[in-house]
Amino acid sequence: MHRIDTSGNVANRFHPGDPATGQQATLVDQDWLNAVQEEIVAVILGAGIALEKGTNDQLYDAIVALIAGVVGTGGGSAPTTRQILAGGLLTGGGNLAADRTISLAKATSAEVSAQVRDDVAVTPAGLAGLVGLTEVAGAWVIRLGPVIVQLFSAVVGANGTTILTLPQSFTTEARAAFVNGGTAGAGIQDNPPFVNGLGLSTVSVYSALDSSASVNVIAFGR
């Protein structure tokens, strides 16, 4: 294809001519007419339509057919042979003969805690109560799935066992507890406090110090 370039064109555009200024009318030649014809013919043949003299809507039919082969019927719809496919954790989809829904299943808190399924998504709501930090009377209670970690400060008495109440009782098992605090010293009476008992709601700390001492306790359970 090319723009008209014969005598009388103005910037490769047609001009009707102007005798007052001496502007010549644009000469229409066979090169330009053949170029226009073959451009139109190429679209029609490219759509698989045979040329037919006397049929004046073949270019329209060709454009509709070519568009339908890419994006649908020409009426704005996509071809029904196209498909929306689900992958990964997604399910649903299908061909475009009807409306399709893509779904993503979410894990319940129980499923998150069980850590078995691998075909569902974890949401913040699913993690609620399973992973997090809460404060109870100044103590930290950290939940990591079924495991609960408690960190708190307390004061233990001198030369004996002090029973401390956990900030939050364990439900099924108290696994271990550790304590630090006291004073440094070589004598046995100056040994730092240590845990000598653990239950679902209490931890026992023995101190050989001759005076009360502040300690930090960490307890693990579920």
Side-chain angles (χ1 to χ4, degrees):
M1 188 67 188
H2 67 282
R3 288 193 170 99
I4 191 70
D5 58 1
T6 55
S7 61
N9 82 83
V10 177
N12 296 109
R13 298 173 68 87
F14 293 94
H15 196 285
D18 187 352
T21 62
Q23 172 63 49
Q24 177 186 355
T26 304
L27 175 66
V28 179
D29 68 347
Q30 72 276 8
D31 289 339
W32 188 85
L33 290 173
N34 285 331
V36 172
Q37 171 183 277
E38 293 308 308
E39 287 283 347
I40 297 172
V41 166
V43 176
I44 297 172
L45 295 180
I49 300 174
L51 298 176
E52 183 177 342
K53 185 176 181 179
T55 302
N56 298 325
D57 57 0
Q58 289 189 291
L59 178 59
Y60 170 82
D61 290 341
I63 293 173
V64 170
L66 292 171
I67 292 175
V70 177
V71 297
T73 63
S77 60
T80 57
T81 54
R82 299 281 178 140
Q83 296 190 67
I84 295 179
L85 303 177
L89 300 181
L90 300 175
T91 60
N95 64 45
L96 300 183
D99 294 339
R100 301 297 181 186
T101 300
I102 301 294
S103 301
L104 176 60
K106 63 180 182 180
T108 64
S109 295
E111 289 169 338
V112 175
S113 180
Q115 301 179 16
V116 175
R117 295 189 63 178
D118 65 352
D119 58 346
V120 290
V122 177
T123 65
L127 291 173
L130 297 176
V131 177
L133 167 66
T134 57
E135 290 193 39
V136 179
W140 282 11
V141 179
I142 303 170
R143 180 178 289 275
L144 302 171
V147 176
I148 297 176
V149 182
Q150 304 189 50
L151 298 93
F152 63 99
S153 299
V155 175
V156 295
N159 298 312
T161 296
T162 302
I163 299 177
L164 304 174
T165 300
L166 293 171
Q168 177 179 302
S169 296
F170 294 118
T171 303
T172 59
E173 178 184 7
R175 176 55 61 93
F178 304 92
V179 63
N180 69 349
T183 60
I188 189 169
Q189 73 277 6
D190 295 320
N191 287 344
F194 65 91
V195 173
N196 65 345
L198 177 62
L200 292 179
S201 59
T202 61
V203 56
S204 299
V205 178
Y206 181 84
S207 175
L209 300 175
D210 292 333
S211 60
S212 61
S214 297
V215 295
N216 294 312
V217 182
I218 180 169
F220 298 85
R222 58 182 177 177

